[in-house]
Amino acid sequence: MKPLRKAVLPVAGLGTRVLPATKSIPKEMLPVVDRPAVQYVVDEAFEAGIEHIIFVTGRAKSAIEDYFDRAFELETILQGKGKDDALKTLAAILPEPGTMSFVRQQAPLGLGHAIWCARDIIGDEPFAVLLPDVLIQGQPGCLAQMTRIYEQHGGNIIAVDEVPKAEVDKYGVIDPGAKTGRLSEMRGMVEKPAIDAAPSNLKITGRYILQPEIIDLLENQETGAGGEVQLTDAMVRLMQEQPFHAYEYDGTDFDCGNRLGYLRAIAHYAINHKDLGAKARTVLENALSH
Ligand code: G1P
């Protein structure tokens, strides 16, 4: 079994559900408390042992690439002013050189197409996919939980969790088979089903461990829901050929791609913040009582 070393973060989306905030900055750079949303997802990947992150970007997303690079001018000014704490903050988020790649998706043709755009950098290895719209609080993080399962079972694993029935049409939804603990066999899955046709209320949460054979399937995948090339449709085909499990992770997810999900994320990450937590709680309570 090849080790899991690479993760793909598709960040080409336009962020239309959070306009106008995303008119001139990528949605992944919107701050959640004191750092951009994408930082949490990168931290989750590195915590899980990922060694190389592949961003699938698009036009107007260069702020993400700049964020993960040195900022010489800023650092020089901070050094001159003796701002050591600020310099430490910057040093802590700087990835090791050569551990991030950036490839562009030239047109918004869907999540499946975005992953396919990363094929040359993925190569012939298993890889993780983390959708940066989705922040997940978990101890350890969701991908670290999944890598433990992967080490035991191999194959393909997707994170799932329950969603109210009325919301199943916004997600990929699985048809679970036999269940052992948090792990289910897979009978099927469907992208954005009609509410009455959904096979369960277990949604695909946005964390995947996939074998490289998915790339060949994506290559000739027909368009599906929303007229886009869907990763879910290619996974349905992969499921016929390889072991595939759904894992009900331990944690809470926040969909930062919509305004209320983003607000929930800010509130939760604020009250759990190691320095600001207690004060943030008071701020939120005061806001409610005035
Ligand atoms: C994508 C996936 C879907 C998954 C969702 C999680 O959909 O295609 O299967 O449930 O992310 O957020 P999107 O949100 O891009 O429409």
Side-chain angles (χ1 to χ4, degrees):
M1 191 166 87
K2 287 192 181 167
L4 180 70
R5 299 190 316 117
K6 296 177 183 170
V8 180
L9 271 64
V11 293
L14 297 174
T16 44
R17 289 180 296 159
V18 275
L19 280 168
T22 50
K23 185 181 170 193
S24 58
I25 56 166
K27 61 179 169 175
E28 297 79 12
M29 293 302 292
L30 292 177
V32 175
V33 191
D34 57 359
R35 59 201 59 213
V38 69
Q39 178 77 59
Y40 294 91
V41 183
V42 164
D43 288 348
E44 182 187 333
F46 282 140
E47 180 205 8
I50 293 296
E51 296 169 14
H52 192 107
I53 295 187
I54 306 161
F55 289 92
V56 182
T57 75
R59 285 180 294 285
K61 294 282 182 164
S62 51
I64 300 174
E65 202 162 340
D66 290 340
Y67 175 80
F68 288 109
D69 196 0
R70 297 286 299 271
F72 283 106
E73 192 180 321
L74 175 60
E75 288 170 28
T76 306
I77 293 169
L78 293 174
Q79 271 153 10
K81 289 178 178 287
K83 301 257 184 198
D84 292 341
D85 286 351
L87 283 164
K88 270 189 208 149
T89 303
L90 293 183
I93 58 162
L94 192 67
E96 288 290 312
T99 57
M100 288 185 172
S101 298
F102 295 81
V103 61
R104 283 198 180 197
Q105 184 186 27
Q106 295 165 334
L109 301 178
L111 176 58
H113 178 261
I115 304 303
W116 178 79
C117 288
R119 66 198 178 283
D120 275 0
I121 313 176
I122 293 169
D124 190 22
E125 294 186 27
F127 61 100
V129 176
L130 297 94
L131 304 188
D133 273 358
V134 182
L135 299 190
I136 302 183
Q137 276 186 338
Q139 251 343 308
C142 181
L143 191 64
Q145 295 175 36
M146 292 169 71
T147 52
R148 283 183 194 167
I149 303 293
Y150 178 68
E151 279 155 16
Q152 293 161 26
H153 295 268
N156 303 271
I157 301 165
I158 55 173
V160 297
D161 71 322
E162 286 185 3
V163 67
K165 182 115 172 83
E167 292 176 27
V168 286
D169 57 346
K170 297 193 182 83
Y171 298 97
V173 176
I174 68 156
D175 183 4
K179 188 172 168 186
T180 315
R182 293 177 174 273
L183 203 62
S184 296
E185 307 278 337
M186 295 280 289
R187 280 201 300 240
M189 59 191 125
V190 52
E191 184 67 21
K192 314 257 164 40
I195 291 174
D196 293 337
S200 76
N201 68 338
L202 286 171
K203 75 169 196 281
I204 301 173
T205 311
R207 300 293 185 268
Y208 311 71
I209 295 176
L210 297 169
Q211 296 300 319
E213 287 74 19
I214 190 91
I215 300 292
D216 290 340
L217 299 173
L218 287 170
E219 175 101 23
N220 57 23
Q221 182 60 50
E222 287 173 9
T223 54
E228 298 187 338
V229 178
Q230 295 292 352
L231 180 60
T232 303
D233 294 341
M235 292 194 301
V236 168
R237 291 161 65 207
L238 188 62
M239 214 179 67
Q240 320 301 325
E241 300 167 8
Q242 295 188 358
F244 214 116
H245 289 96
Y247 173 69
E248 285 182 61
Y249 65 94
D250 182 16
T252 309
D253 70 303
F254 306 95
D255 180 2
C256 294
N258 73 70
R259 291 176 294 174
L260 276 181
Y262 176 53
L263 189 59
R264 272 182 70 230
I266 292 174
H268 279 258
Y269 280 90
I271 62 178
N272 288 304
H273 192 283
K274 67 176 168 35
D275 304 328
L276 301 173
K279 287 185 181 148
R281 190 177 285 277
T282 309
V283 166
L284 290 174
E285 281 166 0
N286 285 344
L288 286 172
S289 60
H290 287 95

